[in-house]
């Protein structure tokens, strides 16, 4: 399996837990690397620092909004769609950078995000029910898991950089 396959699986999983965190992590690295494979592509805008900042703000807002009582479940159709699209975006981008088929990356990222969405929904519900902890506290612990694993996946690495080809 290729490196960008596993990067897509990792970021797709993060997209299933928190939809804006995965693109925030990816665009943060793309703003540093500027891979040439994105030149002329509709995905080239993801390399812009302003876009990276925007995704970081959206990710921060999502971390707060997730704890509000009126926030719909992550498996509600519009919310689920956002997570699927987030996974598709990171997957397509990683595959494009590495000269793979963007459709394959989009499908993989979306599928993994969908599985992670339902898995994380079940995990949070089960943890809240069995521990007696408030859902917002469990959500905060989930945030720590997502952020730490996302940073471990992307910080100090070349996620978003092409594998085996010159930038």
């Amino acid at each position: 399996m290729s490196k960008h396959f596993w990067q897509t699986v990792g970021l797709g999983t993060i997209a299933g837990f928190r939809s804006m965190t995965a693109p925030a992590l990816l665009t943060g690295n793309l703003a540093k690397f500027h891979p040439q494979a994105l030149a002329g592509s509709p995905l080239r805008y993801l390399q812009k620092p302003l876009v990276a900042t925007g995704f970081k703000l959206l990710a921060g807002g999502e971390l707060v909004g997730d704890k509000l009582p009126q926030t719909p479940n992550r498996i509600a159709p519009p919310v689920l769609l956002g997570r699927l699209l987030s996974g598709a975006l990171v997957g397509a981008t990683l595959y494009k950078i590495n000269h793979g088929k963007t459709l394959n990356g989009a499908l993989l990222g979306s599928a993994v995000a969908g599985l992670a969405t339902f898995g994380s929904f079940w995990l949070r519900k089960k943890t809240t029910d069995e521990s007696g902890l408030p859902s917002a506290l469990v959500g905060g612990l989930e945030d720590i898991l997502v952020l730490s694993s996302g940073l471990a996946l992307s910080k100090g690495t070349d996620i978003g950089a092409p594998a085996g080809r010159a930038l």
Side-chain angles (χ1 to χ4, degrees), residues 21-139:
T21 301
L25 292 167
L26 180 61
T27 57
N29 278 358
L30 291 177
K32 293 178 208 165
F33 289 108
H34 297 286
Q36 290 298 318
L38 293 181
S41 163
L43 299 170
R44 70 184 175 277
Y45 71 92
L46 295 175
Q47 300 176 99
K48 298 194 178 293
L50 187 60
V51 172
T53 300
F55 272 115
K56 287 176 187 171
L57 291 172
L58 289 170
E62 182 180 28
L63 293 177
V64 172
D66 176 64
K67 315 303 175 295
L68 300 175
Q70 66 270 25
T71 302
N73 286 333
R74 66 188 72 196
I75 59 171
V79 181
L80 176 61
L81 179 62
R83 292 167 193 266
L84 296 174
L85 291 173
S86 178
L89 177 65
V90 297
T93 304
L94 288 168
Y95 270 65
K96 176 71 173 168
I97 291 166
N98 290 284
H99 308 285
K101 294 182 180 180
T102 55
L103 179 61
N104 290 351
L107 292 174
L108 175 62
S110 183
V112 171
L115 291 171
T117 298
F118 283 96
S120 65
F121 175 78
W122 176 83
L123 181 64
R124 184 164 173 181
K125 186 166 178 41
K126 187 91 167 153
T127 302
T128 301
D129 291 347
E130 290 190 8
S131 70
L133 294 171
S135 181
L137 178 61
V138 174

